[in-house]
Amino acid sequence: MKKEIQNENTDVFASSLAELSTSEIAPRLPKNYPPISSFLLKGAVIFLLGAVLIYCLSQILSSVRGYKEADDLYGEMSEDWGSLDVLLGEKFAVSKADKNSHGGTTEEYGTPTVPAPPSDDSDGSSAVLVMLKAKFDALKETNSDVVAWITVPDTLIDYPIVHTDNNDYYLDHSFTGDKLASGTIFADYRNQDDLSDQNTVIYGHNMASGSMFANLAKFKGSGFFSRTPYIYVQTENGIYVYRVFSVYETSKYDPYIRTSFTSKNDFIEWAKSRQSKSLRKVSYKFDGDEQVITLSTCTNGFGNDGRLAVHAVLTEIRK
């Protein structure tokens, strides 16, 4: 009897199921929410990207502020220093006539013909030396490391040169001693501070703003190289006039910054090797007694080791 009732109930249940649709029979499933870990991961990524964006913006603002601080500082110093034209008597005059004593024509090499200034009869010093001494005395009150002032016509290069016992400090310190990404133009610590070495190496940053030694890249152009061949370095001893004889890109491992030589022949071979690398050719025969300056800045070549070198030989000291 129980079995009959049980079978009857089973038949009723089965028939009732047959009357239901598939959707009515299927169980109600929960919505497929992503796991909590997914929300945390997305949040972390968004936070990280936001932090990177804020950092990049702060770096850009810091760079812009640094450029402005450097421009304000050195721009004011340049104005206070005054135009080189006043000391030279005329604007960077050079002769285009006679042959020079080193085998190249003046069209290729040039010879400065700046007229000598009148002498100061009081102590025998020229008016130029009197003026230069006064200018450097004023600079030394701010920074006793100052040794010279460099000017490259038709560029933004118009800065004091400092010299100390290392090549690190002035990479990120201004002339006044403040932290500054632009740093200061400085001479190699291995050099004498009176430009008396056969190769005086002078460093400066290649700033994106075009300041410091960024404009050295102009010498790579043939027009600028031939039109503006002279570099002027003012010291308390006079105005040193240098003629550029080589410009090229190299790596920091190249011995372009040698500061001492074992003999005249050693120097001549080094100087000739610099000439051979130059993008622009200048006729000049070295005799081993020359004094050279090497201007060095970073460049994008050779990975992070790229350097731009500009070599110039001393042709005259105006006093």
Side-chain angles (χ1 to χ4, degrees), residues 28-175:
R28 188 182 298 274
L29 298 176
K31 291 184 177 179
N32 188 24
Y33 291 108
I36 295 178
S37 59
S38 176
F39 284 108
L40 293 176
L41 179 60
K42 289 181 180 179
V45 170
I46 293 173
F47 176 81
L48 181 60
L49 291 176
V52 170
L53 178 61
I54 292 173
Y55 175 77
C56 292
L57 289 175
S58 67
Q59 291 296 106
I60 293 173
L61 291 174
S62 177
S63 296
V64 171
R65 185 167 56 250
Y67 292 152
K68 186 177 186 309
E69 289 176 357
D71 289 345
D72 289 345
L73 170 63
Y74 292 113
E76 183 178 342
M77 290 182 65
S78 180
E79 289 179 4
D80 291 343
W81 183 261
S83 173
L84 183 60
D85 298 4
V86 175
L87 289 171
L88 290 176
E90 56 184 273
K91 187 171 179 59
F92 314 120
V94 291
S95 171
K96 294 290 183 181
D98 303 324
K99 286 183 175 292
N100 62 50
S101 61
H102 292 274
T105 64
T106 51
E107 282 73 16
E108 296 174 318
Y109 188 75
T111 303
T113 57
V114 179
S119 295
D120 182 344
D121 294 333
S122 60
D123 62 0
S125 297
S126 71
V128 165
L129 289 180
V130 170
M131 189 179 297
L132 286 172
K133 186 177 186 311
K135 288 176 179 253
F136 277 102
D137 284 346
L139 281 181
K140 287 179 182 293
E141 290 181 3
T142 302
N143 188 340
S144 60
D145 288 340
V146 63
V147 295
W149 187 286
I150 184 169
T151 302
V152 180
D154 298 328
T155 74
L156 298 178
I157 300 174
D158 193 31
Y159 300 108
I161 301 174
V162 293
H163 179 262
T164 188
D165 59 2
N166 64 81
N167 284 348
D168 299 319
Y169 180 78
Y170 284 110
L171 286 172
D172 58 4
H173 283 80
S174 71
F175 182 81

Side-chain angles (χ1 to χ4, degrees), residues 163 188-201 242 258-261 267 290-293:
H163 179 262
D188 195 294
Y189 76 96
R190 296 169 298 175
N191 283 124
Q192 301 297 315
D193 59 12
D194 60 357
L195 306 180
S196 60
D197 292 310
Q198 282 199 283
N199 182 32
T200 298
V201 183
Y242 296 87
R258 285 186 62 185
T259 58
S260 61
F261 303 89
F267 173 80
E290 290 85 359
Q291 291 179 340
V292 168
I293 58 170

